[in-house]
Amino acid sequence: MRTVYLNGEYIPDTEAKVSIFDRGFLFADAIYEVTLVLDGKLIDFPNHMQRLKRSARELQFPFVPDVDQLLEVHRELIRRNGLVDGQIYIQITRGNALDRDFAFPPADTPGTILMFTQVRTAALDQAMKSGKAVVTMADLRWQRSDIKTVQLLYSSIAKMEAGRKRADDAWLVRDGLITEGTNNNAFIVTKDGRLVTRPLSTDILHGITRKAVLDCAKEMGLEFVERTFSVEEARQAKEAFSTSATTIVAAVTSIDGVVIGDGKPGPVGAKLREIYLRKGLDAAIG
Ligand code: PDD
């Protein structure tokens, strides 16, 4: 049984209850973050919290998350659950409006804060290292994909559709150009060895791992460019991979059934994964 956090209390997961009037439940009026935990330490925590604050601002939440307090809760959950490798999920909603109303509740309505841990399995790491098959699919999400909200139904549907096509994930497409994966950012390595990923805009989540991986590329002296790329260019890439806090750097070995490179995880992704893990652990918060 897990100990989870809900509005100031540490309680067993089966006892954590939220009101039916909570706006997170009725309107997906909630923001979230997922922070990687390795060796009991938080990876890239300050950047996740910075993005959480940005999401709160963008949705005009009347309160700002207190990062120092949230760090203490993250630490306490790791401790109470004996978490070694895994992740911590945090969700903050606009709170319980005591009824259903499209208008926001009064500004003094407290938000709902919940957090829980998830354990990482060795099988996940292995799958990510050995490569994923992705299929491309229309990006039908709302046009503020830069805000990390719990409005994830389309991503979930796309993931299921990918599964029906015997693939592991979907890469989403707007105007013939890849935006990102269902829950990760998309990268390719072109034939001439350049790393390419879509530039930041409202079309994609500003991935924390994406940024860290670009920093690693800089350190490696690897040429990279932030620009859009088409489905066709991705299918012809020398190498492809995705990034996220949960999958870290995950090789993509086929796109729409077209084998990428030699069909095996490529060296650029593998090297970036290695450097990211080393740097991430060096800077991790215990
Ligand atoms: N998802 N793009 C989308 C749409 C995402 O949902 C995520 C993360 C990313 C990668 O962001 P980061 O590197 O900061 O994790 C990109 C999390 C892991 C999730 O929903 O579980």
Side-chain angles (χ1 to χ4, degrees), residues 13-135:
D13 52 5
T14 48
E15 284 171 28
K17 305 267 186 336
V18 175
S19 162
I20 61 164
F21 295 118
D22 194 281
R23 287 185 58 95
F25 180 61
L26 293 179
F27 291 101
D29 191 354
I31 55 177
Y32 78 106
E33 279 298 327
V34 177
T35 304
L36 178 64
V37 175
L38 292 176
D39 201 16
K41 298 189 197 93
L42 295 156
I43 306 293
D44 251 335
F45 181 78
N47 291 330
H48 282 285
M49 291 304 107
Q50 211 166 358
R51 186 173 62 190
L52 186 71
K53 289 208 282 192
R54 176 183 184 271
S55 297
R57 273 198 311 273
E58 292 296 318
L59 292 188
Q60 297 163 36
F61 274 23
F63 45 81
V64 184
D66 178 336
V67 172
D68 290 341
Q69 224 170 335
L70 293 183
L71 174 58
E72 279 321 303
V73 183
H74 276 75
R75 283 180 166 142
E76 188 61 19
L77 280 180
I78 290 174
R79 199 184 63 74
R80 290 192 186 222
N81 291 288
L83 185 65
V84 180
D85 293 333
Q87 61 215 42
I88 298 194
Y89 177 89
I90 174 168
Q91 177 173 327
I92 306 182
T93 85
R94 203 183 302 269
N96 174 6
L98 296 171
D99 203 351
R100 182 172 183 270
D101 188 344
F102 279 76
F104 293 168
D108 59 356
T109 306
T112 300
I113 303 188
L114 61 95
M115 287 171 59
F116 55 82
T117 53
Q118 291 180 295
V119 175
R120 187 174 194 82
T121 62
L124 172 73
D125 271 330
Q126 196 43 50
M128 293 309 142
K129 273 192 223 151
S130 56
K132 303 188 293 183
V134 307
V135 285

Side-chain angles (χ1 to χ4, degrees), residues 162-226:
R164 271 190 290 276
K165 294 181 170 164
R166 300 189 183 286
D168 303 295
D169 195 15
W171 273 11
L172 305 174
V173 181
R174 208 170 272 166
D175 302 324
L177 305 168
I178 307 278
T179 51
E180 58 184 333
T182 55
N183 58 355
N184 48 72
N185 290 112
F187 285 76
I188 57 169
V189 179
T190 59
K191 291 241 157 32
D192 57 3
R194 212 171 284 165
L195 187 63
V196 178
T197 194
R198 191 176 174 109
L200 298 182
S201 71
T202 51
D203 292 339
I204 61 167
L205 188 77
H206 301 184
I208 304 302
T209 322
R210 173 193 178 281
K211 164 81 168 61
V213 160
L214 288 178
D215 288 345
C216 294
K218 215 177 280 174
E219 194 180 297
M220 271 168 75
L222 182 70
E223 221 182 305
F224 68 86
V225 48
E226 293 174 80

